[in-house]
Amino acid sequence: MAIFTGAGVAIVTPMKENGDVNFDKLGELLEEQIERGTDAIIICGTTGESSTLSHEEHLDTIKYAIDKVAKRIPVIAGTGSNCTETAVYLSQEAEKYGADAVLLVTPYYNKATQKGLIKHFTTIAESIHIPVVLYNVPSRTGCNIQPETAVYLAQHVENIVAIKEASGNISQVAKLMQLADGCIDLYSGNDDQIVPIMSLGGKGVISVLSNVAPEAAHDIVAKYLEGDVKGSLELQLKALPLCDKLFCEVNPIPVKKALNLLGKEVGPLRGPLTEMEEEHAQELAKVMVDFGMKLA
């Protein structure tokens, strides 16, 4: 049984002007996502600026989301770290709070060998009892989970059940699914590759796009699963210009700008991220309007 099928939102972490986490605004975003058909909440991932949250803030944000969502849809907590011990601690706390699963990014900066990845993920997964989603995003971490490694983990660690694939390498994903033979669930980590990932057996997407267009991301997956591949593809292609602009600067700079353009007031970014270049902001606003969004 998959943790979820459909589109899970990799939700932003709203900030007050002084840089504090804005929990009231986070609550509003969570309610809106549920109302608009999002299938799961991914809290404190890359889009949630987890790397600049203190451990206390990180855990407070996870707990707030779990309590607010109150089991209406699954909540997956980003608890990865480049320190195995830290990831164990965050994952154990998220489990205590009632998270439905954890999302574990590959160790960044210090990286790891494939043997090191197996030990890292196994140690974390065996410290908890809830499902684990591996997160492969080598463009940000400098560390790639090879297909053989992901399959080994899924076959040898009971609660490692899924992978968020954001390598962008469709050939690698195809090899993964061929080797896996059904032992691991696959989620797209790139909004511009939802249909290709679904065609390889994907269960859905962990989406940045869902922050601003939850219905679109949900419907791309839903139509595909219903057998309307043509309709799914049409929606995917329609969303491509918006997806492109949401990643024209490093995530989550554009998506936070997009939410602010919509009047959501999610606040500033934490350093070292800076506000979007004005030229890019204007281009983003244009594609949002073209997509049918009403700006504030």
Side-chain angles (χ1 to χ4, degrees), residues 81-259:
S81 173
N82 64 336
C83 170
T84 305
E85 185 178 350
T86 298
V88 166
Y89 166 67
L90 293 173
S91 299
Q92 289 177 336
E93 292 301 300
E95 181 178 28
K96 290 176 189 175
Y97 298 154
D100 295 286
V102 297
L103 179 71
L104 300 179
V105 70
T106 47
Y108 39 87
Y109 185 69
N110 47 3
K111 305 194 285 187
T113 62
Q114 297 301 301
K115 181 180 177 181
L117 289 177
I118 289 171
K119 185 174 182 181
H120 174 77
F121 288 128
T122 300
T123 300
I124 303 163
E126 290 183 343
S127 76
I128 57 176
H129 303 92
I130 56 177
V132 169
V133 183
L134 305 177
Y135 179 14
N136 193 35
V137 57
S139 65
R140 296 191 77 119
T141 65
C143 187
N144 182 40
I145 306 175
Q146 295 292 342
E148 295 84 356
T149 301
V151 170
Y152 178 90
L153 286 163
Q155 290 177 339
H156 289 83
V157 186
E158 184 177 3
N159 58 332
I160 294 180
V161 299
I163 186 166
K164 174 186 176 183
E165 245 298 341
S167 67
N169 185 340
I170 293 296
S171 295
Q172 175 173 298
V173 179
K175 184 178 181 182
L176 165 66
M177 296 306 281
Q178 182 261 320
L179 293 174
D181 194 26
C183 76
I184 194 166
D185 289 338
L186 172 67
Y187 296 99
S188 177
N190 294 322
D191 287 305
D192 61 352
Q193 293 184 340
I194 303 173
V195 170
I197 292 291
M198 296 298 294
S199 75
L200 290 169
K203 301 289 186 180
V205 60
I206 294 177
S207 171
V208 175
L209 174 66
S210 287
N211 280 278
V212 294
E215 296 92 348
H218 169 87
D219 289 350
I220 291 170
V221 179
K223 283 184 178 295
Y224 195 99
L225 293 174
E226 291 164 3
D228 184 7
V229 176
K230 183 179 179 182
S232 175
L233 178 59
E234 287 174 354
L235 291 176
Q236 172 80 90
L237 296 178
K238 179 182 177 184
L240 280 184
L242 179 55
C243 294
D244 288 345
K245 294 305 175 187
L246 287 173
F247 287 90
C248 70
E249 292 187 24
V250 67
N251 180 46
I253 292 173
V255 72
K256 268 200 155 177
K257 182 64 176 180
L259 285 164

Side-chain angles (χ1 to χ4, degrees), residues 62-81:
I62 289 171
K63 187 176 189 306
Y64 181 90
I66 292 167
D67 291 345
K68 186 71 173 176
V69 173
K71 296 296 180 182
R72 287 176 285 175
I73 58 176
V75 175
I76 300 170
T79 56
S81 173

